[in-house]
Amino acid sequence: MTSAARKLDGEKRPVSATGRFDVERVRADFPILHQKVHGHPLVYLDNAATSQKPRAVIDAITRYYEGSNANVHRGVHFLSENATEEYEAARLTVQEFLNAAHSREIVFVRGTTEGINLVAQTFGRAQVQAGDEVLITAMEHHSNIVPWQILCDEKRARLRVASINDQGELLLDEFANLLGPRTKLAAVTHVSNALGTINPLKRMIEMAHSRNVPVLVDGAQAVPHMKVDVQDLDCDFYTFSGHKVYGPTGIGVLYGKATLLHAMPPYQSGGDMISSVTFEKTTYNQLPYKFEAGTPHIARVIGLGAALQYVDGLGMENIGAHEHDLLAYATEAVSAIPGVRLIGTAKEKASVLSFVIEDIHPHDIGTILDQQGIAIRTGHHCSQPVMERFGVPATARASFAVYNTRKEVDALVRGIEKVRQVFA
Ligand code: 7TS
């Protein structure tokens, strides 16, 4: 397949002639959804943890191993050239998906966690010195807290945290006030995994840039649900995980502005990331290869490319509108259940419905729902500071994807009623 053939084609499939979004057609693309769990049809509402994979992604990986498997960027032989072409075609797909200016700004990493660690260990270690500050928000996933804590400990720098209100919205004034002369980086989530809050990212980036502070965005929970345009946002770094956007696990993307990536030292070292090596001196490869040491996850990269093609085929506007409808429908129904308290009621939200029920532990909610074939996540969602902010040890969290239906939301509501009966 040529690079051109892999470009996003903009053809939107599941909008029927009537203009309605055809969710059943989407569901048919996901083999895993058509099974029973504990005797009930599977209702998969744990999409913020990981989403299911369409046939197109599964097939792309199988096709690669059956037809093209070879190492990339080295061989002169047919298979290696094929594998390299497919690998680099996926990079172009990502570039187009994020609207990055250059494909060299797209670095493949294991996922969001690695993307953030890469920036902390390269940009961070080079730029942050004793007395400097890194600014985050109170709604970050642990992956966007701990790497900065480690960096700040090492450098004797200070981690600053902008607070959130009772709805789970960022206090923008506080965020602006914390951007000081010592702030070397703001690292903020686009969408909160525990609350569903969508941050006013463009505004935040403008605020940071007006103080010459670069911004890293954790896009793990945004990329599956909304159009992300890194040039329009003007973010300096943007990272996301393939597995939350219908792609394979263990693969993700770090976007970085070329000027910043150029100036950064390498992250991991070894093969592929070098230009030349002698025992006296090594020079590094050009972008993005400087940051891709060793044989990469070729099959996963190709699978990720197929996932983004798939998403583009559905149309991000269609996905967003469908999920928005589900979230509104679910929010109304679940909040009407006696004893339920929603955690995260921001005006701008995506995909996530976190809640607690009076006197019932979230783990019990999850277990009883599972017996009815309904998969949700319970716990602190790797966002313990958010739990502390809302005074709960954990929440039950339903999170929606493009293949979920209103009928599944009805099943969730019936399931929660059952939980209440069991504990009555
Ligand atoms: N950032 C956010 C906002 C996330 O939601 C997650 C994963 C990560 C970073 C880390 O992503 P990874 O792919 O590198 O692990 N969040 C979740 C979740 O909410 N439930 O399971 C994983």
Side-chain angles (χ1 to χ4, degrees):
M1 184 176 281
T2 66
S3 310
R6 280 196 166 266
K7 284 179 86 76
L8 304 177
D9 64 11
E11 188 199 336
K12 314 294 177 240
R13 288 185 307 116
V15 179
S16 70
T18 60
R20 280 178 60 83
F21 183 79
D22 189 350
V23 69
E24 289 308 325
R25 225 171 125 182
V26 174
R27 290 180 70 78
D29 294 335
F30 291 81
I32 204 171
L33 295 179
H34 312 284
Q35 62 178 293
K36 291 201 164 175
V37 170
H38 304 311
H40 300 270
L42 168 66
V43 174
Y44 186 78
L45 298 177
D46 193 17
N47 295 288
T50 199
S51 58
Q52 299 302 346
K53 318 307 169 200
R55 174 66 72 196
V57 169
I58 300 165
D59 286 352
I61 295 169
T62 306
R63 243 192 344 263
Y64 165 73
Y65 278 125
E66 288 186 350
S68 314
N69 176 56
N71 213 327
V72 292
H73 302 142
R74 353 194 149 200
V76 291
H77 60 80
F78 179 81
L79 288 184
S80 178
E81 281 175 3
N82 257 7
T84 304
E85 191 175 333
E86 288 194 40
Y87 182 80
E88 291 304 327
R91 197 187 309 275
L92 295 179
T93 301
V94 175
Q95 178 199 345
E96 202 177 327
F97 190 79
L98 294 178
N99 192 33
H102 309 284
S103 63
R104 63 177 184 276
E105 298 181 317
I106 305 299
V107 177
F108 289 118
V109 290
R110 275 195 302 128
T112 308
T113 302
E114 189 174 50
I116 296 168
N117 275 277
L118 190 159
V119 176
Q121 291 300 314
T122 58
F123 177 89
R125 288 180 91 187
Q127 298 296 324
V128 176
Q129 306 305 334
D132 287 340
E133 298 180 356
V134 174
L135 175 59
I136 62 171
T137 80
M139 68 175 92
E140 301 305 324
H141 185 278
H142 296 167
S143 288
N144 202 27
I145 302 174
V146 185
W148 307 116
Q149 266 173 342
I150 289 174
L151 176 72
C152 289
D153 278 353
E154 180 189 315
K155 296 288 188 169
R156 287 184 293 116
R158 192 164 167 212
L159 188 65
R160 307 300 301 267
V161 185
S163 315
I164 55 178
N165 64 21
D166 291 343
Q167 285 69 52
E169 296 164 321
L170 181 68
L171 301 182
L172 262 187
D173 288 348
E174 188 176 316
F175 179 77
N177 288 337
L178 285 171
L179 288 162
R182 309 237 47 173
T183 314
K184 285 294 184 300
L185 183 78
V188 300
T189 195
H190 195 164
V191 173
S192 155
N193 69 313
L195 302 166
T197 310
I198 305 173
N199 274 318
L201 200 53
K202 207 169 165 179
R203 181 99 186 79
M204 291 161 72
I205 292 167
E206 279 166 11
M207 286 172 164
H209 284 178
S210 73
R211 309 281 178 93
N212 292 320
V213 176
V215 180
L216 171 140
V217 182
D218 171 350
Q221 298 292 346
V223 157
H225 309 296
M226 61 196 67
K227 174 77 193 140
V228 172
D229 181 331
V230 291
Q231 291 189 80
D232 180 55
L233 286 170
D234 197 27
C235 53
D236 300 278
F237 301 102
Y238 196 103
T239 183
F240 70 92
S241 302
H243 70 94
K244 295 185 200 283
V245 61
Y246 312 110
T249 50
I251 193 70
V253 168
L254 172 69
Y255 158 83
K257 283 183 180 164
T259 44
L260 290 171
L261 292 177
H262 260 304
M264 282 153 53
Y267 176 48
Q268 294 180 339
S269 52
D272 254 15
M273 55 74 69
I274 57 88
S275 160
S276 79
V277 177
T278 66
F279 287 121
E280 288 71 41
K281 183 170 170 57
T282 292
T283 54
Y284 305 130
N285 205 340
Q286 61 198 18
L287 294 178
Y289 310 109
K290 183 171 91 177
F291 293 107
E292 293 181 0
T295 299
H297 295 300
I298 305 162
R300 296 177 188 173
V301 165
I302 290 166
L304 173 61
L308 300 185
Q309 298 271 345
Y310 179 79
V311 165
D312 182 65
L314 297 184
M316 198 49 110
E317 313 73 36
N318 295 328
I319 294 172
H322 175 69
E323 292 174 347
H324 190 77
D325 173 74
L326 286 178
L327 182 62
Y329 183 69
T331 301
E332 190 176 335
V334 171
S335 60
I337 300 171
V340 165
R341 174 186 165 206
L342 298 188
I343 305 293
T345 50
K347 275 192 220 74
E348 298 293 330
K349 279 187 67 173
S351 178
V352 167
L353 190 66
S354 254
F355 59 95
V356 292
I357 307 178
E358 217 167 25
D359 300 328
I360 306 177
H361 196 279
H363 288 303
D364 294 327
I365 302 174
T367 304
I368 295 168
L369 288 178
D370 176 59
Q371 287 161 7
Q372 301 164 73
I374 304 167
I376 63 161
R377 185 167 173 194
T378 64
H380 54 61
H381 316 295
C382 297
S383 297
Q384 281 183 321
V386 171
M387 300 299 116
E388 202 180 323
R389 169 66 180 75
F390 286 89
V392 293
T395 74
R397 181 188 71 182
S399 52
F400 305 102
V402 65
Y403 41 67
N404 290 125
T405 65
R406 280 189 172 215
K407 254 168 67 184
E408 290 182 312
V409 174
D410 295 339
L412 172 70
V413 171
R414 281 196 306 276
I416 297 171
E417 294 290 4
K418 178 91 181 275
V419 173
R420 291 184 62 244
Q421 282 162 23
V422 170
F423 282 88

